[in-house]
């Protein structure tokens, strides 16, 4: 047993945990936290959840949205729906008329009460339903304004009573309920992720004192990352929305805790080898640092690949996620080591790693698993690969073509109930029309082209209420569609209308509206899927090649993660169809799951493969695989459980998109942890042997390299 004084790790690693500098690092982080905390609380105010923050700037619907502002302020319509199955009574009609009168006097949160239209009754001889259209002007508050506006409408119209159904729906109602679903997203995810981390750290460390230090470090990282992102959003034009802000919390907690687990595990090893805890931490940083840097670098670069996306929401997520992971890395390689050294060995109580005590991983569960796999590695990896390939057949059940409003919530809010009633009695597109902007000189021809298109309600084409008839040589039209605005049939109508108006010579006509926006989102997302997925794979492959100085091993590692992704997506699709009864998935669902699983799932392969290489230099590849699995098995399993748990926390939100992403990523991480890393990768490396390091010298001169390294380097 040698003390670290004989081979102290040089440079930054020793500086971070120095006898004096450790206090300086903690002091710097304390100052950062005090400054960052107030800024982090402002991130919600900096979020932009308007349509333009999601859509590509080049999309036709985005350009129509911008052009429409010259005719009138941006307006979103809330629709009050009244219905009685056996026909509206005289008292019902009186109530509807009185409610409409009061709505016309409403002037709060952008509600344009005087421009309220209705009541409009269904076309039957004895009407059973009526609807009232209430416009809401989008102000500077944007998306956040709609909730209070709809609340003020609901205060006037009340709720269903005496057999008369009363609901607020339409774009305004759905947006308000979406805002309600996202309300408290930061605090909900923060506490859910924090609870997962605390429970898993307690199980892993079996120490009520040790778990506090990673929690302190990860909370400091989250607040610091949120502060940086807020400043960039407020002053540098970075787009942040509810989706990226929620994923930020999960990423920082998940990735940060993973890095903490790896560092603490290596530190605990070194404490048994070295008497001086400062030297032990310096050695742990020197040994574990490259793997942590490589894994975090993979995630950061993988997230930055999203910058090439057409979708603004996807492109904005890239730097948000990258900043979060980078800040988590800095915290775990500076603040956490300093805290661990300050508190000393006792922080591991009751299982304190004393100097000279035996390393339990050398003969534990994972060591025995590695030895068993070494007996028949080829059979094991072939069977495992076939099972994963079979599970990936569930991809045939994937329906990543988008979700309707009704299918977007895990429950059924008031607006969705109202929409179902509205669809029963009125044209599906009521209150959420197509918007067409065209050259004024070709207005009659454009109007005729719209009116004669299949899927447009006859007689519904006209100038929007409250809009100027002409501005800057352009005119604007609205048209009601026969199908619900969020349906595939409505998207087909948009395409037909676009074909019709684009064919009008000199009209320069463009078609927008919420349905057109959904269509443009689908188109952009499909483009992003085809572009980003190969780029992320290429980035990961290059990083692994540089890290392992090999070609074969990186190709194998990437292939195993892709197989894990396919299996996770296949199982998820089956679960969504037959367990959760979800109608489908958003078009960007495969992309997000892929990016998170490949960028994060490769972490565990990096942790394992770098340790295998380290051990292989000393003892040969096959012995190195068994030793690497024994040393990293417990910590990687714990890290996988933490990351899976934090992503599963997305399921606490009543939004199907988040629930699906959380489920699929959590499942994929568990597959990576328990199947891919511990079985498939290790058995592949055992079967291929030294050739896995080709073309490096280790593939040909492994024995000589091992002898040379063994003569100069102590076992770590």
């Amino acid at each position: 047993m040698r003390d670290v004084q004989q081979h102290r790790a040089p440079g930054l690693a020793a500086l971070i945990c120095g006898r004096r500098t450790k206090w300086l690092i903690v002091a710097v982080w304390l100052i950062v936290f005090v400054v960052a905390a107030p800024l982090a609380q402002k991130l919600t105010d900096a979020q932009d959840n308007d349509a333009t923050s999601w859509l590509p700037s080049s999309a036709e619907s985005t350009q129509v949205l911008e052009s429409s502002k010259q005719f009138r302020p941006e307006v979103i319509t809330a629709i009050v729906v009244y219905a009685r199955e056996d026909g509206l009574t005289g008292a019902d009609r009186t109530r509807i008329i009185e409610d409409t009168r009061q709505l016309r006097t409403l002037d709060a949160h952008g509600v344009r009460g005087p421009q309220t239209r209705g009541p409009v009754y269904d076309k039957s001889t004895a009407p059973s339903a009526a609807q009232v259209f209430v416009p809401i002007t989008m102000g500077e508050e944007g998306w956040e304004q709609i909730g209070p506006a709809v609340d003020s409408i609901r205060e006037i119209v009340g709720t269903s009573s005496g057999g008369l159904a009363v609901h607020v729906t339409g774009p305004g109602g759905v947006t308000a309920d979406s805002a309600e679903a996202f309300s408290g997203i930061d605090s909900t995810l923060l506490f859910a992720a924090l609870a997962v981390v605390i429970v898993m750290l307690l199980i892993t460390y079996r120490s009520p004192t040790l778990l506090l230090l990673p929690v302190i470090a990860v909370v400091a990282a989250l607040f610091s990352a949120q502060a940086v992102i807020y400043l960039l959003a407020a002053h540098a034009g970075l787009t942040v929305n509810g989706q990226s802000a929620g994923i930020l919390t999960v990423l920082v907690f998940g990735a940060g805790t993973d890095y903490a687990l790896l560092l603490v595990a290596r530190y605990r090893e070194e404490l048994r080898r070295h008497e001086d805890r400062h030297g032990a931490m310096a050695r742990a940083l020197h040994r574990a640092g490259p793997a942590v840097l490589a894994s975090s670098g993979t995630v950061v670069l993988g997230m930055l690949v999203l910058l090439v996306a057409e979708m603004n929401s996807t492109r904005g997520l890239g730097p948000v996620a990258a900043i979060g992971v980078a800040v988590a890395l800095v915290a775990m390689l500076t603040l956490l080591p300093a805290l661990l050294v300050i508190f000393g060995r006792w922080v591991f109580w009751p299982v304190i790693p004393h100097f000279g005590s035996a390393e339990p991983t050398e003969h534990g569960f994972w060591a025995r698993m590695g030895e068993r796999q070494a007996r028949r590695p080829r059979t094991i990896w072939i069977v495992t690969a076939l099972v994963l390939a079979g599970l990936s057949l569930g991809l045939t059940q994937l329906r990543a073509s988008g979700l309707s409003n009704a299918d977007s919530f895990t429950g059924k809010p008031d607006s969705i109930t109202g929409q179902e009633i509205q669809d029963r009695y009125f044209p599906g597109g009521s209150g959420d029309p197509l918007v067409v902007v065209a050259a004024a000189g070709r207005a009659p021809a454009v109007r005729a082209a719209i009116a004669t298109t299949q899927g447009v309600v006859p007689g519904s084409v006209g100038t929007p209420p409250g809009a100027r008839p002409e501005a800057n040589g352009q005119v604007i039209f609205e048209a009601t569609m026969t199908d619900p605005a969020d349906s595939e049939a409505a998207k087909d109508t948009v395409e037909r209308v676009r074909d019709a108006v684009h064919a009008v010579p000199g009209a320069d006509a463009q078609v927008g509206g919420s349905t057109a926006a959904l269509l443009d989102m689908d188109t952009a997302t499909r483009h992003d899927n085809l572009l980003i997925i190969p780029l992320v794979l290429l980035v990961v492959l290059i990083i692994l090649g540089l890290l392992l100085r090999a070609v074969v091993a990186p190709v194998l590692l990437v292939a195993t993660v892709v197989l894990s992704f396919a299996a996770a997506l296949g199982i998820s699709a089956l679960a969504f169809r037959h367990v959760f009864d979800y109608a489908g998935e958003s078009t960007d669902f495969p992309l997000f799951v892929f990016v998170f699983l490949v960028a994060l799932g490769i972490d565990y392969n990096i942790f394992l493969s770098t340790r295998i290489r380290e051990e292989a230099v000393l003892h040969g590849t096959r012995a190195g695989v068994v030793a690497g699995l024994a040393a990293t098995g417990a910590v990687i399993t714990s890290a996988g459980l933490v990351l899976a748990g934090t992503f599963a926390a997305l399921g606490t939100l009543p939004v199907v998109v988040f629930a699906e992403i959380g489920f699929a990523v959590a499942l994929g991480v568990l597959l990576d942890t328990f199947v891919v890393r511990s079985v498939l990768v290790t058995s592949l490396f055992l079967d291929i042997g030294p050739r896995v390091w080709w073309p490096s010298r280790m593939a040909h001169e492994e024995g000589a390299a091992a002898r040379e390294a063994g003569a100069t380097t102590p076992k770590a």
Side-chain angles (χ1 to χ4, degrees), residues 330-606:
V330 173
M332 296 308 155
L333 292 185
T334 56
L335 177 59
L336 179 60
L339 289 173
L340 286 167
V341 174
I342 287 173
F343 280 87
R345 293 176 188 262
W346 73 266
V347 79
F348 287 90
W349 180 87
V351 187
I352 299 175
H354 296 289
F355 174 58
S357 61
E359 174 56 51
T361 61
E362 292 180 357
H363 304 286
F365 169 81
W366 294 104
R368 294 192 299 272
M369 174 174 278
E371 291 167 358
R372 284 195 293 268
Q373 290 187 52
R375 296 168 192 161
R376 302 186 68 183
R378 183 167 300 175
T379 301
I380 291 174
W381 77 255
I382 290 176
V383 170
T384 304
L386 289 175
V387 170
L388 290 173
L391 292 173
S392 67
L393 294 177
L395 284 168
T396 57
Q397 296 292 304
L398 198 68
R399 303 173 186 169
S401 57
L403 293 167
S404 66
N405 291 333
D407 296 328
S408 298
F409 298 92
T410 55
K412 184 183 285 189
D414 179 70
S415 61
I416 300 304
T417 303
Q419 181 176 307
E420 291 175 351
I421 295 174
Q422 182 189 29
D423 292 344
R424 194 182 311 157
Y425 296 103
F426 300 98
S430 297
D432 199 356
L434 283 172
V435 180
V436 181
V437 175
R442 302 294 293 159
V446 171
R447 181 171 187 151
I450 301 170
T452 56
T453 300
Q454 178 187 349
V456 174
V457 174
S460 67
V461 182
T463 303
R468 298 165 60 183
E470 184 177 336
N472 296 320
Q474 290 185 311
V475 293
I476 187 170
F477 295 114
E478 281 187 351
T480 301
M481 293 179 288
T482 56
D483 300 293
D486 57 351
S487 65
E488 291 301 315
K491 294 177 186 177
D492 293 340
T493 298
V494 170
E495 291 184 324
R496 287 192 294 269
V497 172
R498 281 180 170 172
D499 289 341
V501 299
H502 291 170
V504 177
D508 294 326
Q510 293 179 309
V511 180
S514 65
T515 307
L518 292 174
L519 180 63
D520 291 340
M521 286 182 184
D522 291 345
T523 302
T525 300
R526 292 188 183 98
H527 165 272
D528 293 343
N529 290 345
L530 295 174
L531 175 64
I532 292 173
I533 288 177
L535 284 178
V536 171
L537 285 176
L538 180 61
V539 166
V540 170
L541 190 63
I542 291 173
I543 292 176
L544 287 174
L546 294 174
L547 179 68
L548 299 177
R549 285 163 282 177
V551 172
V552 175
V555 170
L556 289 177
L557 293 175
V558 169
T560 61
V561 172
V562 171
L563 183 58
S564 173
F565 161 73
L569 222 58
I571 299 172
S572 297
L574 292 172
F576 297 158
R577 297 293 82 75
H578 306 295
V579 178
F580 300 106
D581 196 28
Y582 294 150
E585 296 79 35
S586 63
T587 49
D588 55 11
F589 168 77
L591 174 62
F592 284 150
V593 174
F594 177 85
V595 170
F596 293 135
L597 277 185
V598 172
L600 295 171
I602 205 71
D603 277 4
Y604 307 128
N605 281 335
I606 288 175

Side-chain angles (χ1 to χ4, degrees), residues 77-83 96 99-100 103 116-117 119-120 130-134 153-154 156-158 165-170 418 422 426:
T77 303
I79 304 175
V80 185
V81 176
Y82 302 85
I96 293 169
D99 287 351
T100 305
L103 288 171
T116 296
R117 295 182 292 117
V120 176
Q131 52 185 357
V132 178
F133 301 88
V134 186
I153 294 172
R154 284 176 171 150
I156 290 177
V157 301
V166 182
H167 303 279
V168 180
T169 185
Q422 182 189 29
F426 300 98

Side-chain angles (χ1 to χ4, degrees), residues 77-116:
T77 303
I79 304 175
V80 185
V81 176
Y82 302 85
R84 185 184 292 274
E85 288 188 8
D86 54 355
L88 296 173
T89 65
D92 294 337
R93 289 172 176 266
T94 300
R95 174 180 172 176
I96 293 169
I97 291 171
E98 176 58 23
D99 287 351
T100 305
R101 186 190 65 78
Q102 292 187 46
L103 288 171
R104 289 197 174 102
T105 66
L106 186 58
D107 183 17
H109 307 293
V111 177
R112 305 174 71 176
Q115 295 183 17
T116 296

Side-chain angles (χ1 to χ4, degrees), residues 591-651:
L591 174 62
F592 284 150
V593 174
F594 177 85
V595 170
F596 293 135
L597 277 185
V598 172
L600 295 171
I602 205 71
D603 277 4
Y604 307 128
N605 281 335
I606 288 175
F607 295 161
L608 174 63
S609 59
T610 52
R611 187 58 182 262
I612 289 175
R613 193 180 193 283
E614 180 183 332
E615 298 288 345
V617 171
L618 299 169
H619 311 292
T621 296
R622 289 183 173 86
V625 171
V626 176
L629 180 61
T632 62
V635 63
I636 293 179
T637 299
S638 300
L641 290 172
V642 168
L643 188 61
T646 52
F647 266 94
L650 289 171

Side-chain angles (χ1 to χ4, degrees), residues 630-671:
T632 62
V635 63
I636 293 179
T637 299
S638 300
L641 290 172
V642 168
L643 188 61
T646 52
F647 266 94
L650 289 171
T652 61
L653 302 174
V655 182
V656 169
V657 170
F658 276 101
E660 290 179 334
I661 291 176
F663 179 90
V665 174
L667 176 63
V669 168
L670 293 177
L671 282 176

